[in-house]
RNA sequence: GCCGGAGUAGCUCAGCUGGUAGAGCAAGCGCCUUGUAAGCGCUAGGCCGGCGGUUCGAGUCCGCCCUCCGGCUCCA
């Protein structure tokens, strides 16, 4: 038989030859360095037989940055971890240990809880394994045999995995440790040149909190020790960009125990906030939204009608009146208010689509342990809107949202990931209705030319949705905007409009927030720019530094001119050296710093941009340059 | 809510095995009169997250609570 190599040449091999055989046929060095086989984008264990005509690519230790090559390395390292843990902690039960982005983990049930100090011990044991060297052997076994072996070993999690696994069951063995595993794996442990255990966490078996919580050990591995160092260095740099560090450092906001999950916005943070609000308001106006403001507090009945009381109670804040019996709750979302507003008058089809926009404050009592800087707060301000429309208008309205969202994210040079979530198992409405609404969303996405990922079954019970996601500086994904189609809530509130047929109809509503919440958006924004905001967003755009006391007056006049031109400008009159004040301006990441002394005049300004880029320009030239930013 | 870690001056942190707290930066004052990333000196600043316990004595040991950090779950 023949296989096809990446350069399109063909390699003649005996029938039944494996990837390893192919590597050996090409050369002994390749055979030794081979770690994985890739075929049409799919990875395959080197131990598996090849097919006639198969296109193959053999990855070696030289492909040290290839994601598949790293994955196999880390997967094998996870097995070393399990072996080490087994040896050090008799009675431990092993669960599952896959590679993940940037590393791997393995879940265990320890007889006694372990703590971070144990990681050192375990890591030392793994180093011992590496020093001794390990080889992986693959075998295929019957389901029955697999189950028997794990039952004999007292491994209930493995037994469960065997029972639910589909396809072939394979075992990989290194040393005296055998694990159920689909593979692929390295041939041996030689390529593993750097290992580090990075963390310890609780994790529920099969990701379900009704199940037992296991202990998850995270780690990472590389083909080259320098890559581990570089990775740790990158992590350290990422931490510098963390909005929780930069926010207070740049005097944008702070968080405090007095009101967990509710940011205190400082004047500079409010500048950014207001720029976003102005943007929201002016763009909304261009796109036919009507700004409204609805109450923060509603009686319980409203939430019973909306369904929040039943479905969202544990995340709501309740309030008592001083007098009277009424129990009220702070709104966690704007929809009930907008429903009531829509229903307050008789509506005609001629008024649709009707788009209510609001960015008032929402409160959600988040579960303990989930708050996270600005990215997960209790005090939420969405750039929210609800569009009431007819079935025929749905697609255009969705399209309009997508177009609007793309416009906004482009403005910041951000690239959001779009995800479409379709009908869940527990749903309201018929399959025909879902066919219609899902098709409308898909068609709008396609029409706008947006690539998206489909999350089957992840939709809300009342309708499908499109979510926009962004990643924070540590690689965690956060939902930003959301566009949700809903036919249930208008009905629950008894909303109708008079159609052209002179009959009453229930409108559809689209719930949408594009930036998502301002809090979260600003958090992501801070990290996106690493605190170096573009000129139009920067809280302080320019700062003038009078060289000496004699220059303060002239510097003040200059600042006044720029302020009148509409720029946010400060004069740093502190009695410190110019060097010191330059340094502070750099640390505050101010876009333009103007040093003003004897040599300067309107015809010749000393301009310093961030990172020390210096130039000399006249005031008119500067104004001209700024106007184009 | 769960697992692991942490909380000391406004900020960043030191404080070994228990003996009543320290640095740098920031702040205030003074000197210097400043030219593109830190001029010099002095001063003030602390219920060592909170409550309880052990002890002659607790920042340090133990328990509970709060908050934060890394995860898990949740985020209709």
């Amino acid at each position: 038989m023949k296989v096809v190599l990446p350069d399109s040449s063909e390699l003649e091999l005996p029938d039944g030859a494996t990837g390893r055989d192919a590597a050996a046929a090409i050369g002994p060095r390749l055979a030794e360095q081979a770690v994985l086989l890739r075929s049409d984008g799919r990875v395959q264990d080197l131990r598996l037989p090849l097919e006639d005509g198969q296109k193959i690519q053999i990855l070696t230790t030289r492909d040290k940055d290839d994601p598949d090559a790293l994955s196999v390395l880390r997967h094998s390292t996870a097995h070393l971890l399990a072996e080490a843990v087994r040896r050090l902690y008799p009675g431990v039960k092993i669960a599952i240990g896959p590679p993940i982005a940037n590393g791997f983990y393995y879940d265990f049930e320890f007889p006694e809880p372990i703590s971070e100090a144990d990681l050192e011990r375990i890591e030392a044991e793994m180093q011992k394994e590496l020093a001794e060297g390990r080889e992986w052997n693959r075998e295929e076994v019957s389901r029955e045999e697999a189950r028997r072996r794990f039952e004999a070993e007292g491994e209930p999690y493995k037994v469960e995995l065997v029972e639910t696994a589909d396809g072939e069951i394979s075992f990989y063995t290194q040393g005296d440790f055998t694990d159920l595993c689909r593979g692929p794996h390295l041939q041996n442990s030689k390529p593993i040149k750097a290992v580090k255990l990075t963390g310890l966490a609780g994790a529920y078996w099969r990701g379900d909190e009704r199940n037992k919580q296991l202990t998850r050990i995270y780690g990472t591995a590389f083909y080259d020790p320098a890559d581990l160092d570089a990775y740790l260095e990158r992590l350290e740099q990422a931490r510098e960009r963390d909005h929780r560090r930069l926010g207070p450092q740049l005097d944008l906001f702070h968080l405090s125990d007095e009101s967990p999950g509710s940011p205190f916005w400082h004047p500079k943070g409010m500048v950014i906030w207001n720029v976003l609000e102005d943007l929201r308001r002016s763009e909304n106006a261009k796109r036919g939204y009507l700004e409204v403001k609805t109450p923060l507090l509603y009686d319980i009945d409203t939430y019973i009608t909306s369904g929040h009381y039943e479905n969202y109670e544990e995340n709501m804040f309740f309030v008592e009146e001083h007098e009277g019996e009424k129990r009220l709750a702070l709104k966690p979302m704007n929809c009930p208010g907008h429903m009531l507003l829509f229903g307050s008058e008789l509506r005609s089809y001629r008024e649709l689509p009707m788009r209510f926009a609001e960015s008032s404050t929402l409160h959600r009592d988040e579960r303990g342990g989930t708050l996270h800087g600005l990215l997960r707060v209790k005090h939420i301000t969405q750039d929210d809107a609800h569009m009431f429309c007819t079935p025929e208008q749905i697609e255009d309205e969705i399209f309009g949202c997508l177009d609007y969202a793309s416009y906004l994210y482009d403005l910041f040079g951000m690239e959001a990931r779009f995800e479409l979530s379709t009908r869940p198992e527990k749903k309201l409405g018929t399959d025909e209705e879902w066919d219609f609404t899902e098709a409308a969303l898909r068609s709008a996405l396609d029409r706008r030319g947006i690539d998206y990922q489909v999350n089957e079954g992840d939709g809300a019970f009342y309708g499908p949705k499109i979510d926009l996601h962004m990643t924070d500086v540590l690689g965690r994904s956060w939902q930003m905007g959301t566009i949700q189609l809903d036919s249930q809530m208008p009905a629950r509130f008894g909303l109708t409009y008079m159609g052209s047929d002179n009959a009453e109809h229930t409108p559809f509503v689209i719930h949408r927030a594009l930036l998502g919440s301002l809090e979260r958006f600003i958090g992501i924004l801070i990290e996106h720019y690493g605190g170096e905001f573009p000129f139009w967003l920067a809280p302080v755009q320019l700062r003038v530094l009078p060289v000496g006391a004699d220059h303060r007056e002239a510097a003040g006049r200059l600042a006044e001119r720029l302020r009148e031109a509409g720029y946010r400008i400060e004069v740093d009159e502190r009695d410190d050296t110019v060097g010191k004040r330059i340094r502070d301006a750099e640390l505050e990441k101010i876009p333009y710093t103007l040093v003003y002394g004897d040599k300067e005049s309107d015809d010749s300004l000393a301009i310093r941009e961030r990172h020390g880029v210096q130039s000399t320009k006249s005031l008119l030239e500067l104004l001209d340059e700024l106007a184009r930013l």
Side-chain angles (χ1 to χ4, degrees):
Chain A
M1 77 173 192
K2 286 177 190 159
V3 293
V4 183
L5 301 176
D7 63 0
S8 297
S9 67
E10 294 185 343
L11 181 68
E12 187 72 39
L13 292 166
D15 284 358
T18 64
R20 210 184 249 176
D21 297 333
I26 296 168
R29 188 117 156 251
L30 183 69
E32 191 177 325
Q33 295 183 343
V35 294
L36 184 67
L37 192 130
R38 191 157 55 200
S39 179
D40 275 330
R42 277 225 173 82
V43 297
Q44 182 177 322
D45 197 290
L46 288 166
R47 300 160 186 83
L48 289 171
L50 302 171
E51 282 169 24
D52 191 29
Q54 192 177 353
K55 279 201 234 167
I56 63 164
Q57 179 191 2
I58 294 165
L59 299 179
T60 71
T61 50
R62 292 186 185 188
D63 298 297
K64 66 191 188 83
D65 299 319
D66 182 280
D68 288 332
L70 278 168
S71 248
V72 68
L73 178 90
R74 289 161 177 174
H75 194 171
S76 295
T77 310
H79 282 223
L80 294 182
L81 166 62
E83 183 191 343
V85 167
R86 247 280 182 82
R87 196 188 333 267
L88 293 173
Y89 303 87
V92 73
K93 295 179 176 40
I94 61 176
I96 194 165
I100 51 173
N102 296 322
F104 62 86
Y105 67 78
Y106 211 110
D107 285 347
F108 304 94
E109 184 188 329
F110 284 91
E112 300 291 332
I114 64 162
S115 77
E116 262 165 25
D118 291 85
L119 294 186
E120 225 169 286
R121 239 182 110 203
I122 298 169
E123 207 176 288
E125 188 68 22
M126 291 172 74
Q127 291 298 349
K128 221 158 84 188
E129 291 167 2
L130 287 175
E132 291 167 11
R134 288 291 186 272
E135 274 191 28
W136 277 275
N137 290 305
R138 181 179 193 278
E139 60 179 318
E140 280 173 20
V141 296
S142 72
R143 194 166 300 258
E144 215 19 69
E145 160 78 9
R147 177 218 288 270
R148 231 184 21 250
R149 278 166 73 166
F150 285 127
E151 271 171 358
E153 287 177 20
E155 292 289 0
Y157 301 104
K158 291 296 180 189
V159 171
E160 197 180 323
L161 288 172
V162 167
E163 282 166 354
T164 53
D166 32 68
E168 298 273 322
I169 302 231
S170 53
F171 279 177
Y172 280 84
T173 302
Q174 92 256 12
D176 51 13
F177 176 80
T178 298
D179 201 352
L180 169 73
C181 190
R182 190 173 288 137
H185 278 281
L186 299 174
Q187 303 189 74
N188 57 55
S189 60
K190 277 187 205 135
I192 305 172
K193 299 295 190 198
V195 175
K196 185 170 175 60
L197 297 182
T198 51
L200 189 60
Y204 301 102
W205 169 237
R206 305 215 132 173
D208 189 331
E209 69 177 321
R210 288 167 302 191
N211 290 338
K212 189 167 183 91
Q213 190 167 52
L214 307 174
T215 302
R216 174 169 299 177
I217 296 176
Y218 285 94
T220 192
F222 290 90
Y223 287 99
D224 183 346
D227 291 340
L228 172 61
D229 293 341
Y231 168 71
L232 295 174
E233 171 69 25
R234 270 202 313 281
L235 267 188
E236 194 44 52
Q237 281 169 0
R239 276 190 261 276
E240 304 271 317
R241 293 167 73 95
D242 192 314
H243 77 281
R244 289 166 301 178
R245 181 193 284 248
L246 280 176
Q249 228 168 56
L250 298 176
D251 199 18
L252 303 177
F253 69 90
H254 81 270
L255 292 159
S256 166
D257 288 358
E258 284 83 358
S259 187
S262 301
F264 288 71
W265 289 96
H266 297 199
K268 285 178 187 163
M270 272 317 284
V271 170
I272 295 174
W273 181 284
N274 286 331
V275 169
L276 294 181
E277 271 283 23
D278 291 347
L279 177 69
R280 179 193 76 86
R281 192 160 283 138
S282 61
E283 289 300 322
N284 274 352
K286 284 184 204 164
R287 292 160 205 266
Y289 287 82
L290 307 168
E291 180 139 14
V292 298
K293 192 173 183 74
T294 55
L296 299 183
L297 282 169
Y298 297 84
D299 60 19
I300 303 297
D301 292 344
T302 304
Y303 298 109
I304 291 174
T305 303
S306 71
H308 286 95
Y309 193 77
E310 195 186 345
N311 295 302
Y312 208 69
E313 191 205 348
E314 60 172 21
N315 285 302
M316 288 166 59
F317 289 104
F318 293 89
V319 222
E320 304 292 333
E321 284 187 321
H322 265 299
E323 296 173 37
E325 313 274 284
K326 264 195 179 170
R327 229 176 134 221
L328 303 166
L330 286 163
K331 63 176 171 187
M333 301 177 196
N334 287 310
C335 21
H338 290 190
M339 298 295 138
L340 293 171
L341 181 53
F342 184 89
S344 67
E345 286 177 38
L346 206 59
R347 306 290 181 184
S348 155
Y349 74 97
R350 294 169 189 277
E351 294 177 88
L352 305 187
M354 183 171 259
R355 311 185 183 99
F356 291 152
E358 174 165 6
S359 74
S360 58
T361 299
L362 309 176
H363 288 88
R364 299 183 186 174
D365 193 8
E366 298 290 346
R367 262 173 112 164
T370 58
L371 296 177
H372 189 95
L374 292 180
L375 301 183
R376 189 78 175 270
V377 290
K378 293 186 178 181
H379 176 286
I380 304 165
T381 313
Q382 289 183 325
D383 62 326
D384 206 2
H386 290 88
M387 21 260 279
F388 296 85
C389 63
T390 69
E392 297 74 39
Q393 291 168 337
I394 291 174
E395 190 191 318
D396 278 348
E397 286 304 297
I398 301 279
F399 179 86
C401 289
L402 294 172
D403 194 57
Y404 191 173
S406 303
Y407 168 79
L408 290 172
Y409 285 78
D410 283 353
L411 217 66
F412 299 99
M414 304 202 308
E415 217 169 301
R417 290 185 310 284
F418 288 76
E419 297 184 7
L420 171 68
S421 296
T422 59
R423 72 195 77 181
E425 277 184 34
K426 247 182 76 183
K427 64 179 193 293
L428 296 172
T430 65
D431 277 329
E432 287 71 38
E433 285 167 354
W434 279 86
D435 288 343
F436 172 74
T437 53
E438 286 174 9
L441 266 55
R442 281 179 198 274
S443 150
L445 280 162
D446 292 337
R447 183 143 70 92
R448 186 59 184 71
I450 290 170
D451 282 331
Y452 58 95
Q453 176 193 321
V454 179
N455 298 328
E456 299 288 356
D458 257 2
F461 64 90
Y462 50 72
K465 58 174 184 163
I466 296 167
D467 293 327
L468 283 79
H469 293 256
M470 289 284 300
T471 305
D472 73 13
V473 87
L474 291 174
R476 295 172 290 215
S477 178
W478 298 88
Q479 186 189 303
M480 309 298 287
T482 184
I483 302 167
Q484 307 184 357
L485 187 56
D486 177 7
S487 61
Q488 302 304 316
M489 207 180 285
R492 298 180 74 120
F493 278 89
L495 303 184
T496 59
Y497 62 91
M498 196 59 81
S500 57
D501 57 356
N502 201 31
E504 288 188 9
H505 301 273
T506 304
F508 273 87
V509 70
I510 295 162
H511 309 245
R512 54 110 286 196
L514 301 181
L515 302 179
S517 87
L518 283 192
E519 288 83 0
R520 180 173 287 180
F521 192 82
I522 293 176
I524 292 290
L525 208 52
I526 291 170
E527 300 189 352
H528 174 67
Y529 291 121
E532 295 184 2
F533 298 103
F535 187 73
W536 64 282
L537 257 183
V540 178
Q541 297 173 307
L542 306 111
R543 178 174 284 174
V544 186
L545 309 186
V547 172
D550 297 347
H551 309 109
R552 283 178 192 166
E553 204 186 315
R557 278 200 303 272
L558 172 65
E560 199 46 47
R561 296 271 299 271
L562 284 155
R563 193 171 294 120
E564 278 165 10
Y567 298 111
R568 297 184 287 271
I569 184 162
E570 287 180 352
V571 183
D572 184 354
E573 294 189 342
R574 285 176 307 166
D575 190 16
D576 274 310
T577 60
V578 172
K580 165 71 171 163
R581 286 177 287 160
I582 290 279
R583 176 180 152 82
D584 286 346
E586 282 284 354
L587 290 174
E588 291 172 50
K589 306 185 192 297
I590 293 170
Y592 288 90
T593 304
L594 312 179
V595 174
Y596 203 97
D598 288 335
K599 297 182 230 161
E600 282 69 34
S601 68
D602 281 1
D603 296 329
S604 172
L605 295 174
I607 295 163
R608 180 190 169 105
E609 291 173 53
R610 283 184 290 226
H611 307 296
V613 181
Q614 292 180 48
S615 61
T616 305
K617 290 191 178 76
S618 73
L619 176 57
L620 288 177
E621 284 169 334
L622 176 64
L623 283 167
D624 191 51
E625 178 180 327
L626 298 181
R628 281 186 274 110
L629 288 173

